[in-house]
Amino acid sequence: MIGFMPPAHLVVAVDLVVFTIRADQLHVLLIERGNPPFHGKPALPGGFVRDTENLHAAAERELHEETGLNGHDFHLQQLGAYGEPDRDPRGRIFTVAYLAIVPDLPAPLAGTDASDASWVPVTQAHGLAFDHDQILADALEAARVRLEYTTVATSFCPSEFSVTDLRRVYEVVWGRPIDPRNFHRKVIATEDFVVPSGNKRAAVVGRPAMLYHRGSATRLNPPMLRHSEP
Amino acid sequence: MIGFMPPAHLVVAVDLVVFTIRADQLHVLLIERGNPPFHGKPALPGGFVRDTENLHAAAERELHEETGLNGHDFHLQQLGAYGEPDRDPRGRIFTVAYLAIVPDLPAPLAGTDASDASWVPVTQAHGLAFDHDQILADALEAARVRLEYTTVATSFCPSEFSVTDLRRVYEVVWGRPIDPRNFHRKVIATEDFVVPSGNKRAAVVGRPAMLYHRGSATRLNPPMLRHSEP
DNA sequence: GGAATATACGTCAGAAGGACGAGAACCTCG
DNA sequence: CGAGGTTCTCGTCCTTCTGACGTATATTCC
């Protein structure tokens, strides 16, 4: 069943790797495919680029359709293009992958037409349709690198967060523990990484944490290097 | 003259930003367009992706056609996809940009069918066709960043080079002088960045330099940070 | 009030790099 | 052949940054 060939303007799609953190675990947004090919298999959300929209707009539209998010309360950046000739059995379809980082949604996926979408821990996200396993792996590595050199970690957090919240982001994405005292020093010393909100967290136990908003900085200089092991 | 619409498999192209260093200046490979649109204007070399090849293969093929280079004596990496609806007046054409870094070719462009291609200093590469000004700007920034975190600078150099040759690469691409003594210490101290060839350069003037081949390392850890100024 | 806990701040040593001095190895020129 | 100039290589000092780890502070629970 190779017969299907989409019209020219439907040869390019965008696929989204949407990351969030829930219950101290990195989750990725997946859909269950309702049509062939790969019927019933999990896949990254995505869709074809429309005639009048550019790639970024297409990614934003898909993200809105799947999560209800819009405006600028998320991080969205292009990862790269994928175009193996046989990546889609329907024919020659290229896809441009986007990495999205969103905070843990209070009413997750509410008001969306994507009731088939669900958050899956990345550790359990295998066997995806198409080449989405590869795209997901590339996205995970890209996210880890971007935490080193940029301030995107704050995009995982809600508007108000503590330094410990931010540290959890790094620990979850990197998969390794970080010394709380050194991390605190680094975050506070980095100009415009976070700005104090003036509030304190109601303590469940222990000293209440000071709360912050994300600052205006985007680059981390000097970077927060994870010491890579083979 | 909007009538032209390429068949489905010709909606995606690859464009190359090929950098080299000649006479202590960063040069980019440009062609002069022989057909409309943008007839007679300079542009990045590129072409449509063929039915059976993937994106990387298409980029390699184009690079070979334009420079005669093949094998692995160059650096070739994807930059990203560009897809503004109006970027090509012929219709909806997406392009995937690739960054190539090659040594100064001894017999430049010999044996190629691209006699229309020429090396242009990046400082004079303006007014390109399509959105190639933007792609070139993105490529330049990407090259600068990659010099910080990877060992690609050696891809600008011939097989055998001196530490000073390598330093010139950084100075030319970054556009700022570097202290020769600190640079030398950094390069030598970084494991597998360069390996001694055992030879010395015949000195024109001054102490002859020891020569090196590029090493096996790809990442620079810790990175060679340029201190960005606003 | 004391124990437990989490946050905030401090200290010390080692790694890395910017600034700069100086020696080493070649050239040319007188 | 020696002096001076040039370039490459090595070394020193000092500052910044960070990993390791100690300690004070603010809250809840008992």
Side-chain angles (χ1 to χ4, degrees):
Chain A
M1 164 26 225
I2 300 291
F4 173 79
M5 173 61 70
H9 59 289
L10 288 187
V11 172
V12 175
V14 295
D15 283 318
L16 292 180
V17 182
V18 189
F19 283 141
T20 198
I21 293 179
R22 314 188 77 182
D24 280 356
Q25 268 199 304
L26 185 65
H27 284 64
V28 59
L29 189 67
L30 297 181
I31 60 156
E32 183 168 334
R33 286 189 58 78
N35 296 307
F38 300 102
H39 185 280
K41 289 199 97 177
L44 298 173
F48 290 108
V49 181
R50 295 182 181 167
D51 279 350
T52 57
E53 68 188 356
N54 63 27
L55 292 166
H56 194 89
E60 271 187 336
R61 174 176 54 77
E62 290 290 340
L63 182 59
H64 176 70
E65 287 176 5
E66 300 291 344
T67 66
L69 286 173
N70 53 8
H72 296 293
D73 37 354
F74 53 79
H75 170 86
L76 183 65
Q77 199 171 352
Q78 190 186 117
L79 277 178
Y82 293 78
E84 292 294 325
D86 57 352
R87 63 174 296 279
D88 192 316
R90 288 170 294 182
R92 195 69 200 270
I93 298 183
F94 296 85
T95 195
V96 179
Y98 276 81
L99 168 66
I101 293 176
V102 305
D104 189 6
L105 301 173
L109 315 178
T112 73
D113 49 336
S115 52
D116 53 343
S118 60
W119 293 109
V120 177
V122 289
T123 55
Q124 297 166 29
H126 305 300
L128 306 187
F130 308 107
D131 51 1
H132 289 183
D133 276 332
Q134 181 63 48
I135 295 176
L136 176 57
D138 293 348
L140 180 55
E141 179 57 24
R144 285 173 171 158
V145 169
R146 283 175 198 185
L147 254 59
E148 294 188 277
Y149 301 111
T150 75
T151 61
V152 279
T154 58
S155 298
F156 279 107
C157 300
S159 162
E160 218 174 19
F161 57 90
S162 70
V163 175
T164 298
D165 295 336
L166 192 59
R167 177 169 53 83
R168 289 263 152 74
V169 171
Y170 277 88
E171 291 179 330
V172 166
V173 176
W174 284 352
R176 72 189 62 173
I178 300 176
D179 185 280
R181 297 157 290 188
N182 292 335
F183 183 84
H184 186 275
R185 174 183 56 187
K186 172 76 176 175
V187 169
I188 296 303
T190 301
E191 217 161 335
D192 295 324
F193 192 1
V194 298
V195 294
S197 75
N199 301 325
K200 289 186 184 183
R201 162 137 333 156
V204 196
V205 58
R207 176 175 174 169
M210 293 179 58
L211 294 177
Y212 301 85
H213 299 299
R214 67 189 63 145
S216 58
T218 58
R219 294 284 184 87
L220 228 46
N221 211 304
M224 177 121 47
L225 296 175
R226 62 183 162 147
H227 295 273
S228 48
E229 80 279 59
Chain B
M1 177 0 240
I2 300 291
F4 173 79
M5 172 60 70
H9 59 290
L10 287 187
V11 172
V12 175
V14 296
D15 283 317
L16 293 181
V17 181
V18 189
F19 282 140
T20 198
I21 293 179
R22 314 187 78 183
D24 280 357
Q25 268 199 303
L26 185 65
H27 285 64
V28 60
L29 190 68
L30 297 181
I31 60 157
E32 183 168 333
R33 286 188 57 79
N35 296 306
F38 300 103
H39 185 281
K41 288 201 97 176
L44 298 172
F48 289 108
V49 180
R50 294 180 181 168
D51 279 351
T52 57
E53 68 188 357
N54 62 27
L55 292 166
H56 194 89
E60 269 186 338
R61 173 176 55 76
E62 290 289 340
L63 183 58
H64 176 71
E65 288 176 5
E66 301 290 345
T67 66
L69 286 173
N70 53 9
H72 296 294
D73 39 353
F74 53 79
H75 171 86
L76 184 64
Q77 199 171 353
Q78 188 184 120
L79 278 177
Y82 294 78
E84 292 293 326
D86 56 352
R87 64 173 295 279
D88 192 317
R90 288 171 294 183
R92 195 70 200 270
I93 298 183
F94 296 86
T95 196
V96 180
Y98 275 81
L99 169 66
I101 292 177
V102 305
D104 190 5
L105 302 174
L109 315 179
T112 70
D113 49 335
S115 52
D116 54 341
S118 60
W119 294 109
V120 177
V122 290
T123 55
Q124 296 166 30
H126 305 300
L128 305 187
F130 307 107
D131 50 1
H132 290 184
D133 276 332
Q134 181 64 48
I135 295 176
L136 176 58
D138 293 348
L140 180 56
E141 179 57 25
R144 286 175 171 158
V145 169
R146 282 176 198 183
L147 255 58
E148 293 188 278
Y149 302 112
T150 75
T151 62
V152 280
T154 59
S155 298
F156 279 108
C157 300
S159 163
E160 218 174 20
F161 56 89
S162 71
V163 175
T164 298
D165 294 336
L166 193 59
R167 178 168 52 85
R168 289 265 152 73
V169 171
Y170 277 88
E171 292 178 330
V172 166
V173 176
W174 283 353
R176 70 188 63 172
I178 301 176
D179 184 278
R181 298 157 289 188
N182 292 334
F183 183 83
H184 187 275
R185 174 183 55 187
K186 172 74 177 174
V187 169
I188 297 303
T190 301
E191 218 163 335
D192 297 323
F193 192 2
V194 298
V195 295
S197 75
N199 302 325
K200 289 187 183 181
R201 160 135 339 152
V204 197
V205 57
R207 175 175 176 170
M210 295 180 57
L211 294 178
Y212 300 85
H213 299 299
R214 66 190 62 146
S216 57
T218 58
R219 293 284 185 89
L220 227 46
N221 211 304
M224 178 119 48
L225 295 176
R226 66 185 158 143
H227 294 274
S228 48
E229 77 281 60

PDB file of all heavy atoms in Angstrom, chain B residues 170-188:
ATOM      1  N   TYR B 170      40.947  30.450  14.914  1.00  0.00           N
ATOM      2  CA  TYR B 170      40.093  31.052  15.937  1.00  0.00           C
ATOM      3  C   TYR B 170      40.028  32.572  15.791  1.00  0.00           C
ATOM      4  O   TYR B 170      38.964  33.182  15.905  1.00  0.00           O
ATOM      5  CB  TYR B 170      40.616  30.671  17.335  1.00  0.00           C
ATOM      6  CG  TYR B 170      40.139  29.312  17.793  1.00  0.00           C
ATOM      7  CD1 TYR B 170      40.848  28.157  17.484  1.00  0.00           C
ATOM      8  CD2 TYR B 170      38.967  29.169  18.526  1.00  0.00           C
ATOM      9  CE1 TYR B 170      40.420  26.913  17.899  1.00  0.00           C
ATOM     10  CE2 TYR B 170      38.528  27.922  18.944  1.00  0.00           C
ATOM     11  CZ  TYR B 170      39.250  26.799  18.637  1.00  0.00           C
ATOM     12  OH  TYR B 170      38.798  25.571  19.042  1.00  0.00           O
ATOM     13  N   GLU B 171      41.168  33.184  15.530  1.00  0.00           N
ATOM     14  CA  GLU B 171      41.190  34.635  15.425  1.00  0.00           C
ATOM     15  C   GLU B 171      40.372  35.123  14.233  1.00  0.00           C
ATOM     16  O   GLU B 171      39.653  36.122  14.330  1.00  0.00           O
ATOM     17  CB  GLU B 171      42.635  35.126  15.320  1.00  0.00           C
ATOM     18  CG  GLU B 171      43.424  34.918  16.606  1.00  0.00           C
ATOM     19  CD  GLU B 171      44.865  35.367  16.491  1.00  0.00           C
ATOM     20  OE1 GLU B 171      45.438  35.306  15.380  1.00  0.00           O
ATOM     21  OE2 GLU B 171      45.438  35.759  17.506  1.00  0.00           O
ATOM     22  N   VAL B 172      40.449  34.391  13.128  1.00  0.00           N
ATOM     23  CA  VAL B 172      39.731  34.808  11.926  1.00  0.00           C
ATOM     24  C   VAL B 172      38.228  34.602  12.089  1.00  0.00           C
ATOM     25  O   VAL B 172      37.422  35.465  11.737  1.00  0.00           O
ATOM     26  CB  VAL B 172      40.264  34.040  10.702  1.00  0.00           C
ATOM     27  CG1 VAL B 172      39.328  34.194   9.521  1.00  0.00           C
ATOM     28  CG2 VAL B 172      41.660  34.521  10.346  1.00  0.00           C
ATOM     29  N   VAL B 173      37.839  33.462  12.635  1.00  0.00           N
ATOM     30  CA  VAL B 173      36.410  33.173  12.756  1.00  0.00           C
ATOM     31  C   VAL B 173      35.772  34.030  13.844  1.00  0.00           C
ATOM     32  O   VAL B 173      34.661  34.524  13.685  1.00  0.00           O
ATOM     33  CB  VAL B 173      36.183  31.678  13.034  1.00  0.00           C
ATOM     34  CG1 VAL B 173      34.706  31.392  13.248  1.00  0.00           C
ATOM     35  CG2 VAL B 173      36.718  30.840  11.879  1.00  0.00           C
ATOM     36  N   TRP B 174      36.489  34.193  14.939  1.00  0.00           N
ATOM     37  CA  TRP B 174      35.924  34.999  16.033  1.00  0.00           C
ATOM     38  C   TRP B 174      36.115  36.488  15.799  1.00  0.00           C
ATOM     39  O   TRP B 174      35.433  37.313  16.428  1.00  0.00           O
ATOM     40  CB  TRP B 174      36.577  34.596  17.359  1.00  0.00           C
ATOM     41  CG  TRP B 174      36.052  33.309  17.904  1.00  0.00           C
ATOM     42  CD1 TRP B 174      35.003  32.574  17.417  1.00  0.00           C
ATOM     43  CD2 TRP B 174      36.531  32.598  19.053  1.00  0.00           C
ATOM     44  NE1 TRP B 174      34.810  31.449  18.189  1.00  0.00           N
ATOM     45  CE2 TRP B 174      35.737  31.444  19.199  1.00  0.00           C
ATOM     46  CE3 TRP B 174      37.553  32.819  19.966  1.00  0.00           C
ATOM     47  CZ2 TRP B 174      35.938  30.522  20.215  1.00  0.00           C
ATOM     48  CZ3 TRP B 174      37.754  31.903  20.980  1.00  0.00           C
ATOM     49  CH2 TRP B 174      36.950  30.765  21.114  1.00  0.00           C
ATOM     50  N   GLY B 175      37.065  36.838  14.952  1.00  0.00           N
ATOM     51  CA  GLY B 175      37.306  38.245  14.691  1.00  0.00           C
ATOM     52  C   GLY B 175      37.932  38.990  15.842  1.00  0.00           C
ATOM     53  O   GLY B 175      37.673  40.179  16.031  1.00  0.00           O
ATOM     54  N   ARG B 176      38.735  38.291  16.625  1.00  0.00           N
ATOM     55  CA  ARG B 176      39.412  38.984  17.724  1.00  0.00           C
ATOM     56  C   ARG B 176      40.725  38.276  18.013  1.00  0.00           C
ATOM     57  O   ARG B 176      40.845  37.065  17.812  1.00  0.00           O
ATOM     58  CB  ARG B 176      38.539  39.013  18.966  1.00  0.00           C
ATOM     59  CG  ARG B 176      38.358  37.669  19.641  1.00  0.00           C
ATOM     60  CD  ARG B 176      37.326  37.755  20.739  1.00  0.00           C
ATOM     61  NE  ARG B 176      36.022  38.104  20.193  1.00  0.00           N
ATOM     62  CZ  ARG B 176      34.899  38.094  20.906  1.00  0.00           C
ATOM     63  NH1 ARG B 176      34.933  37.783  22.171  1.00  0.00           N
ATOM     64  NH2 ARG B 176      33.750  38.396  20.340  1.00  0.00           N
ATOM     65  N   PRO B 177      41.723  39.030  18.495  1.00  0.00           N
ATOM     66  CA  PRO B 177      43.036  38.417  18.738  1.00  0.00           C
ATOM     67  C   PRO B 177      43.021  37.526  19.983  1.00  0.00           C
ATOM     68  O   PRO B 177      42.206  37.718  20.894  1.00  0.00           O
ATOM     69  CB  PRO B 177      43.955  39.618  18.944  1.00  0.00           C
ATOM     70  CG  PRO B 177      43.046  40.701  19.440  1.00  0.00           C
ATOM     71  CD  PRO B 177      41.734  40.474  18.763  1.00  0.00           C
ATOM     72  N   ILE B 178      43.893  36.536  19.984  1.00  0.00           N
ATOM     73  CA  ILE B 178      44.024  35.604  21.102  1.00  0.00           C
ATOM     74  C   ILE B 178      45.482  35.596  21.533  1.00  0.00           C
ATOM     75  O   ILE B 178      46.383  35.628  20.695  1.00  0.00           O
ATOM     76  CB  ILE B 178      43.583  34.186  20.689  1.00  0.00           C
ATOM     77  CG1 ILE B 178      42.127  34.196  20.225  1.00  0.00           C
ATOM     78  CG2 ILE B 178      43.786  33.200  21.826  1.00  0.00           C
ATOM     79  CD1 ILE B 178      41.666  32.857  19.710  1.00  0.00           C
ATOM     80  N   ASP B 179      45.708  35.536  22.823  1.00  0.00           N
ATOM     81  CA  ASP B 179      47.078  35.489  23.330  1.00  0.00           C
ATOM     82  C   ASP B 179      47.739  34.188  22.883  1.00  0.00           C
ATOM     83  O   ASP B 179      47.239  33.099  23.200  1.00  0.00           O
ATOM     84  CB  ASP B 179      47.091  35.583  24.848  1.00  0.00           C
ATOM     85  CG  ASP B 179      48.509  35.642  25.392  1.00  0.00           C
ATOM     86  OD1 ASP B 179      49.125  34.562  25.515  1.00  0.00           O
ATOM     87  OD2 ASP B 179      48.992  36.740  25.655  1.00  0.00           O
ATOM     88  N   PRO B 180      48.859  34.275  22.143  1.00  0.00           N
ATOM     89  CA  PRO B 180      49.472  33.064  21.597  1.00  0.00           C
ATOM     90  C   PRO B 180      49.939  32.089  22.670  1.00  0.00           C
ATOM     91  O   PRO B 180      49.849  30.875  22.490  1.00  0.00           O
ATOM     92  CB  PRO B 180      50.680  33.598  20.811  1.00  0.00           C
ATOM     93  CG  PRO B 180      50.389  35.036  20.580  1.00  0.00           C
ATOM     94  CD  PRO B 180      49.576  35.483  21.744  1.00  0.00           C
ATOM     95  N   ARG B 181      50.407  32.604  23.801  1.00  0.00           N
ATOM     96  CA  ARG B 181      50.969  31.729  24.825  1.00  0.00           C
ATOM     97  C   ARG B 181      49.879  30.957  25.543  1.00  0.00           C
ATOM     98  O   ARG B 181      49.990  29.755  25.771  1.00  0.00           O
ATOM     99  CB  ARG B 181      51.794  32.569  25.793  1.00  0.00           C
ATOM    100  CG  ARG B 181      52.943  33.246  25.098  1.00  0.00           C
ATOM    101  CD  ARG B 181      53.420  34.463  25.826  1.00  0.00           C
ATOM    102  NE  ARG B 181      52.467  35.569  25.753  1.00  0.00           N
ATOM    103  CZ  ARG B 181      52.726  36.796  26.189  1.00  0.00           C
ATOM    104  NH1 ARG B 181      53.902  37.068  26.730  1.00  0.00           N
ATOM    105  NH2 ARG B 181      51.830  37.744  26.095  1.00  0.00           N
ATOM    106  N   ASN B 182      48.786  31.650  25.896  1.00  0.00           N
ATOM    107  CA  ASN B 182      47.700  30.946  26.569  1.00  0.00           C
ATOM    108  C   ASN B 182      47.019  29.953  25.636  1.00  0.00           C
ATOM    109  O   ASN B 182      46.619  28.860  26.052  1.00  0.00           O
ATOM    110  CB  ASN B 182      46.676  31.951  27.097  1.00  0.00           C
ATOM    111  CG  ASN B 182      47.236  32.800  28.223  1.00  0.00           C
ATOM    112  OD1 ASN B 182      48.158  32.378  28.927  1.00  0.00           O
ATOM    113  ND2 ASN B 182      46.703  33.996  28.375  1.00  0.00           N
ATOM    114  N   PHE B 183      46.893  30.347  24.365  1.00  0.00           N
ATOM    115  CA  PHE B 183      46.278  29.440  23.401  1.00  0.00           C
ATOM    116  C   PHE B 183      47.119  28.171  23.240  1.00  0.00           C
ATOM    117  O   PHE B 183      46.585  27.060  23.214  1.00  0.00           O
ATOM    118  CB  PHE B 183      46.124  30.138  22.048  1.00  0.00           C
ATOM    119  CG  PHE B 183      45.442  29.302  21.003  1.00  0.00           C
ATOM    120  CD1 PHE B 183      44.062  29.235  20.948  1.00  0.00           C
ATOM    121  CD2 PHE B 183      46.179  28.567  20.084  1.00  0.00           C
ATOM    122  CE1 PHE B 183      43.420  28.462  19.994  1.00  0.00           C
ATOM    123  CE2 PHE B 183      45.543  27.788  19.127  1.00  0.00           C
ATOM    124  CZ  PHE B 183      44.169  27.734  19.081  1.00  0.00           C
ATOM    125  N   HIS B 184      48.420  28.366  23.143  1.00  0.00           N
ATOM    126  CA  HIS B 184      49.322  27.222  23.008  1.00  0.00           C
ATOM    127  C   HIS B 184      49.168  26.271  24.200  1.00  0.00           C
ATOM    128  O   HIS B 184      49.050  25.053  24.027  1.00  0.00           O
ATOM    129  CB  HIS B 184      50.761  27.719  22.907  1.00  0.00           C
ATOM    130  CG  HIS B 184      51.755  26.638  22.611  1.00  0.00           C
ATOM    131  ND1 HIS B 184      52.315  25.852  23.597  1.00  0.00           N
ATOM    132  CD2 HIS B 184      52.278  26.194  21.448  1.00  0.00           C
ATOM    133  CE1 HIS B 184      53.142  24.990  23.044  1.00  0.00           C
ATOM    134  NE2 HIS B 184      53.137  25.173  21.746  1.00  0.00           N
ATOM    135  N   ARG B 185      49.162  26.845  25.389  1.00  0.00           N
ATOM    136  CA  ARG B 185      49.014  26.016  26.583  1.00  0.00           C
ATOM    137  C   ARG B 185      47.705  25.234  26.549  1.00  0.00           C
ATOM    138  O   ARG B 185      47.677  24.033  26.824  1.00  0.00           O
ATOM    139  CB  ARG B 185      49.054  26.903  27.837  1.00  0.00           C
ATOM    140  CG  ARG B 185      48.776  26.155  29.114  1.00  0.00           C
ATOM    141  CD  ARG B 185      48.758  27.092  30.318  1.00  0.00           C
ATOM    142  NE  ARG B 185      47.819  28.197  30.154  1.00  0.00           N
ATOM    143  CZ  ARG B 185      47.714  29.224  30.990  1.00  0.00           C
ATOM    144  NH1 ARG B 185      48.518  29.295  32.024  1.00  0.00           N
ATOM    145  NH2 ARG B 185      46.839  30.169  30.778  1.00  0.00           N
ATOM    146  N   LYS B 186      46.626  25.911  26.184  1.00  0.00           N
ATOM    147  CA  LYS B 186      45.303  25.272  26.159  1.00  0.00           C
ATOM    148  C   LYS B 186      45.259  24.123  25.153  1.00  0.00           C
ATOM    149  O   LYS B 186      44.757  23.032  25.449  1.00  0.00           O
ATOM    150  CB  LYS B 186      44.251  26.326  25.810  1.00  0.00           C
ATOM    151  CG  LYS B 186      42.859  25.795  25.553  1.00  0.00           C
ATOM    152  CD  LYS B 186      42.170  25.383  26.816  1.00  0.00           C
ATOM    153  CE  LYS B 186      40.746  24.914  26.531  1.00  0.00           C
ATOM    154  NZ  LYS B 186      40.106  24.384  27.742  1.00  0.00           N
ATOM    155  N   VAL B 187      45.778  24.358  23.967  1.00  0.00           N
ATOM    156  CA  VAL B 187      45.713  23.335  22.918  1.00  0.00           C
ATOM    157  C   VAL B 187      46.534  22.111  23.306  1.00  0.00           C
ATOM    158  O   VAL B 187      46.082  20.969  23.186  1.00  0.00           O
ATOM    159  CB  VAL B 187      46.206  23.910  21.574  1.00  0.00           C
ATOM    160  CG1 VAL B 187      46.400  22.800  20.545  1.00  0.00           C
ATOM    161  CG2 VAL B 187      45.230  24.949  21.062  1.00  0.00           C
ATOM    162  N   ILE B 188      47.757  22.370  23.791  1.00  0.00           N
ATOM    163  CA  ILE B 188      48.629  21.252  24.143  1.00  0.00           C
ATOM    164  C   ILE B 188      48.069  20.469  25.330  1.00  0.00           C
ATOM    165  O   ILE B 188      48.175  19.245  25.397  1.00  0.00           O
ATOM    166  CB  ILE B 188      50.054  21.769  24.439  1.00  0.00           C
ATOM    167  CG1 ILE B 188      50.649  22.398  23.184  1.00  0.00           C
ATOM    168  CG2 ILE B 188      50.941  20.655  24.941  1.00  0.00           C
ATOM    169  CD1 ILE B 188      50.708  21.478  21.991  1.00  0.00           C
TER     170      ILE B 188
END
